[in-house]
Amino acid sequence: MAQLFTKDTQAIFWNNNTTAIQRMLDYDYTIQRKTPSVAAIVAPTGGSKFEKFFWGADEIMIPLYKNTEEAKAAQPQADVLLNFASFRTAYDVTMEALSIGGFNTIMITAEGIPERLARKMNAVAKEKNVTVIGPATVGAIAPGAFKIANIGGTIENIISSKLHRAGSCGLVTRSGGLFNELSNIIAINADGIAEGVAIGGDRFVGSVFIDNLLRMQENPEVKYMLLLGEVGGTEEYKVIEAVKSGKITKPIIAWCIGTIAKYYDSGVQFGHAGASANAEAETAEAKNKAMAEVGIFVPESFNDLPNKIAEVYNDLKTKGMIGDIVEPQTNTVPKVRKNKQFICTISDDRGDEATYAGFPISSLATPDTGKGIGDVISLLWFKKQYPKWATDFIETVIKTVADHGPAVSGAHNAKVTARAGKSVVEALVTGLLTIGPRFGGAIDGAAKYFKYADDNKLTPAEFLNYMKNEGVPIPGIGHRIKSLKNPDLRVEGLKRFANEYFPATPLLDYALTVEQLTTSKKENLILNVDGTIGILMVDMWRALGYSEEEINEFIESGTLNAFFIVGRSIGFIGHVLDEKRLAMPMYRHPMDDILYDVKMAEKI
Ligand code: ACO
Ligand code: LMR
């Protein structure tokens, strides 16, 4: 991999560090990236499913996942892990990501990971050919393509240091602060950087100077390189070897900071854990000298570094090896931004014509479109285009439950309300409020319990026993008037449809074995219409490829009862209109139909 990142690179951000993520997205917006550079966030303790961020003046949602495995499964294209876990968990998070696989780069920000663990982690990453940036780093940047978190600082600093578009220098430092400083110096004295990495300040970091320089040697965008080393360690000698052996041929400018160390007693450790010379060869002076000896451009002092950069850059420019840069267009991140109060992911009314999950209403509404209510529901409830057999099933359900006569609980209540002089909407809502676990609202419960029994391979007898212990009647079983002798023909119709059009009906097959047992006890304990709908919807979703978690979520959120609510609203409205048409007077229940058993209240 010659380039660390491209304009398509996406990351999974471990820890919901909103400020750092917003900085990445502001950068993306500025450089006019098409996709956000953060595809997913791992928030192990968060309860939400997404986090909102600004994208220019607008807002976007980034999905949250509980763990890296889920995030990677949902966003397999994201091949960078930005590990912002604390030093206590950063090792585990990295090791887990390495075992999940599919990451090219892992950046670790935490400082102070125990050195033994850091070495182990880096060794495994090397084995798997994964570039580790850090620990103890602000990360890396491919200007104009992808920027990790806070590297480069504020957006104003990024623009003034020309980090918003690619230049020609490959920059490698240990320190993040000096990385920013040098980016600015390079922008002033040359044309900016093509790729830059702050490898991190810990003694044992994943990718070391040589790893990054060898990659930059292969990256055609990089024309020369700048290495900012430090007192301590011997990594610079590997670079010297690579220059000597001809593995690196591009010009390198290098400086080791910490030449002041000689004025202190030996063993002084500077800012970074690794910044301490344990031998003469590890001093900044020795390393600077050795680098100069193999032809690396080493300035007289840090103050002279800008001149060296200008010298090397101008030389390459004169030789025609570096061309002129056409400054790209950028977006400006607005200073004042407003959070949106509501989110809508199903429909959009901002254009000439409103859309349902992307489809203009006119493309669904009229008969010539070939679309029906099942298609509209699949778009607005599930944001998916279901196949015909599934939309036909949805419509069959709605038509099947539209009404069951005036005597059923909900219709009765709607009628009484209409007769009390209430409006259509009030009377309808009264009917709807009657829908519950005994009447019409057992669909979710049926799906939940039968699915549980089937998932856990309970025999019908075990299932009945389980429900007895739960202390609830089995949702979807039993009917006031329907029985084996007086079968519910709606149920027969739904089963016939499923047998003919469903790819498979495993949950229905299981439910029928339960029904055999319940009807052997009492003949009205049939699989009722609620039960049949709930169970067949699970079979439908499984056949459509939904995961078990997604199906469980539908059940938990009450999606299944919603089919009854939609269907039965048609019937309730019919009954209310019937009352109005007939101009029926207020209803009073006959007193002889009430058992009055009122005793004088006892005095306390
Ligand atoms: N699971 C287990 N046992 C049941 C069930 C059930 N779902 N339903 C009734 N029973 C048993 C009762 O425990 C009772 O037993 P017992 O005689 O030993 O005491 C016996 O059957 C009769 O119980 P009732 O409540 O009198 O039955 P009824 O026929 O009046 O009730 C009802 C019908 C309310 C639908 C009931 O079967 C039930 O609660 N079912 C579960 C909820 C459900 O599926 N509702 C949707 C119905 S379809 C629709 O509304 C569109
Ligand atoms: C219905 O569809 O409303 C019924 O199955 C309930 C009933 O009591 O008939």
Side-chain angles (χ1 to χ4, degrees):
M1 224 181 42
Q3 271 166 315
L4 196 53
F5 307 126
T6 70
K7 218 168 177 168
D8 297 319
T9 300
Q10 285 195 299
I12 292 174
F13 204 107
W14 205 102
N15 227 352
N16 192 3
N17 186 333
T18 50
T19 312
I21 296 169
Q22 185 62 63
R23 279 205 166 158
M24 287 180 74
L25 300 176
D26 284 346
Y27 182 75
D28 296 345
Y29 178 74
T30 304
I31 64 169
Q32 304 188 338
R33 256 185 76 117
K34 290 209 168 53
T35 50
S37 53
V38 178
I41 300 167
V42 179
T45 53
S48 324
K49 291 193 170 170
F50 64 87
E51 184 76 51
K52 275 196 303 159
F53 290 94
F54 286 111
W55 183 263
D58 229 319
E59 279 184 303
I60 55 168
M61 298 191 301
I62 306 224
L64 298 185
Y65 300 93
K66 284 265 170 260
N67 53 56
T68 313
E69 194 164 4
E70 277 177 27
K72 182 67 180 159
Q75 308 288 336
Q77 81 292 355
D79 59 6
V80 175
L81 180 78
L82 302 181
N83 181 350
F84 272 67
S86 76
F87 75 94
R88 286 174 296 275
T89 31
Y91 169 80
D92 290 335
V93 169
T94 306
M95 293 304 271
E96 190 201 8
L98 288 169
S99 78
I100 292 168
F103 293 104
N104 289 329
T105 309
I106 298 179
M107 173 268 193
I108 305 156
T109 187
E111 201 175 327
I113 297 176
E115 291 184 349
R116 183 180 53 84
L117 296 182
R119 290 168 81 160
K120 195 165 153 200
M121 173 174 91
N122 296 339
V124 176
K126 257 215 160 83
E127 217 171 81
K128 297 189 182 243
N129 217 6
V130 175
T131 303
V132 168
I133 302 172
T137 180
V138 292
I141 185 168
F146 180 90
K147 167 184 116 77
I148 293 178
N150 296 316
I151 197 164
T154 61
I155 210 75
E156 291 77 16
N157 196 57
I158 282 170
I159 301 281
S160 68
S161 302
K162 300 209 172 17
L163 288 171
H164 62 288
R165 53 96 179 120
S168 52
C169 179
L171 173 63
V172 189
T173 69
R174 259 191 180 276
S175 140
L178 283 170
F179 182 96
N180 291 355
E181 190 61 40
L182 280 175
S183 307
N184 194 32
I185 293 173
I186 296 166
I188 294 166
N189 293 281
D191 66 357
I193 69 173
E195 186 182 292
V197 181
I199 65 168
D202 273 2
R203 185 174 285 277
F204 298 105
V205 290
S207 70
V208 290
F209 294 139
I210 186 65
D211 302 320
N212 288 291
L213 293 177
L214 285 175
R215 187 189 55 254
M216 290 173 180
Q217 167 71 26
E218 299 305 316
N219 181 351
E221 302 293 315
V222 173
K223 308 296 182 201
Y224 68 105
M225 298 175 274
L226 199 161
L227 165 65
L228 189 75
E230 257 182 25
V231 54
T234 55
E235 288 302 333
E236 290 81 355
Y237 291 100
K238 294 186 187 156
V239 179
I240 293 171
E241 282 313 309
V243 172
K244 269 206 226 158
S245 67
K247 273 196 190 159
I248 294 181
T249 53
K250 292 179 182 174
I252 305 181
I253 306 161
W255 177 252
C256 265
I257 53 171
T259 46
I260 195 162
K262 68 179 175 196
Y263 299 108
Y264 294 87
D265 290 340
S266 65
V268 169
Q269 190 199 305
F270 290 81
H272 293 147
S276 163
N278 296 319
E280 176 55 27
E282 291 189 23
T283 62
E285 280 209 323
K287 294 199 269 191
N288 282 334
K289 186 161 169 285
M291 290 196 289
E293 276 166 13
V294 294
I296 292 176
F297 296 92
V298 179
E300 290 297 309
S301 68
F302 188 80
N303 284 348
D304 188 36
L305 187 57
N307 292 336
K308 231 355 143 212
I309 295 168
E311 187 188 315
V312 172
Y313 167 75
N314 288 328
D315 182 47
L316 291 170
K317 193 116 204 260
T318 317
K319 288 179 182 151
M321 292 168 80
I322 295 177
D324 288 330
I325 289 180
V326 183
E327 293 297 334
Q329 292 226 316
T330 53
N331 290 331
T332 306
V333 175
K335 289 258 177 296
V336 183
R337 302 192 268 196
K338 191 174 156 286
N339 279 108
K340 301 202 189 296
Q341 305 290 325
F342 282 92
I343 298 172
C344 172
T345 69
I346 60 166
S347 58
D348 192 339
D349 59 334
R350 289 173 300 177
D352 289 342
E353 190 181 1
T355 56
Y356 299 163
F359 288 85
I361 295 176
S362 59
S363 70
L364 307 154
T366 47
D368 56 302
T369 63
K371 303 291 182 194
I373 261 304
D375 296 282
V376 172
I377 287 183
S378 78
L379 292 174
L380 286 178
W381 290 11
F382 307 113
K383 304 191 287 179
K384 292 265 182 338
Q385 300 174 58
Y386 281 4
K388 180 130 174 62
W389 66 266
T391 56
D392 278 350
F393 178 64
I394 290 173
E395 289 184 15
T396 305
V397 166
I398 286 169
K399 287 188 269 183
T400 300
V401 300
D403 191 34
H404 208 228
V408 306
S409 317
H412 174 83
N413 281 347
K415 285 169 86 67
V416 171
T417 310
R419 286 176 64 168
K422 300 287 249 180
S423 66
V424 173
V425 63
E426 288 162 320
L428 165 66
V429 167
T430 308
L432 291 178
L433 289 175
T434 317
I435 295 173
R438 292 183 196 151
F439 164 70
I443 312 185
D444 285 299
K448 174 179 160 180
Y449 284 112
F450 278 91
K451 186 172 179 301
Y452 171 84
D454 192 32
D455 288 351
N456 290 284
K457 307 263 168 295
L458 301 188
T459 63
E462 286 168 340
F463 179 37
L464 258 54
N465 213 20
Y466 171 80
M467 294 305 294
K468 207 170 171 185
N469 290 338
E470 288 280 291
V472 280
I474 305 168
I477 290 284
H479 199 275
R480 262 287 155 87
I481 57 169
K482 297 295 175 189
S483 65
L484 280 183
K485 284 211 191 79
N486 173 26
D488 191 334
L489 296 181
R490 296 173 298 178
V491 171
E492 299 310 311
L494 292 170
K495 287 198 292 201
R496 253 198 325 277
F497 182 98
N499 281 334
E500 194 164 339
Y501 297 106
F502 277 39
T505 56
L507 198 57
L508 176 66
D509 302 343
Y510 174 72
L512 294 177
T513 65
V514 174
E515 184 192 38
Q516 265 176 17
L517 186 61
T518 53
T519 48
S520 72
K521 293 181 189 281
K522 210 163 174 285
E523 67 167 18
N524 77 324
L525 294 185
I526 52 159
L527 180 63
N528 63 34
V529 72
D530 279 17
T532 313
I533 293 169
I535 283 154
L536 282 176
M537 284 288 176
V538 173
D539 279 334
M540 176 186 85
W541 281 325
R542 281 182 170 159
L544 293 177
Y546 283 95
S547 69
E548 293 303 303
E549 288 74 35
E550 286 171 311
I551 296 174
N552 290 343
E553 237 175 70
F554 286 151
I555 295 171
E556 289 306 320
S557 61
T559 309
L560 288 159
N561 286 346
F563 288 106
F564 190 90
I565 295 167
V566 167
R568 192 52 63 93
S569 292
I570 300 171
F572 289 161
I573 292 171
H575 286 293
V576 174
L577 295 179
D578 207 22
E579 293 297 342
K580 300 228 175 250
R581 194 166 36 235
L582 296 166
M584 291 296 284
M586 193 186 80
Y587 176 77
R588 196 171 196 283
H589 201 73
M591 290 157 85
D592 62 3
D593 190 34
I594 296 170
L595 189 158
Y596 292 94
D597 181 23
V598 186
K599 304 207 168 59
M600 182 63 72
E602 280 176 24
K603 210 172 183 174
I604 300 178

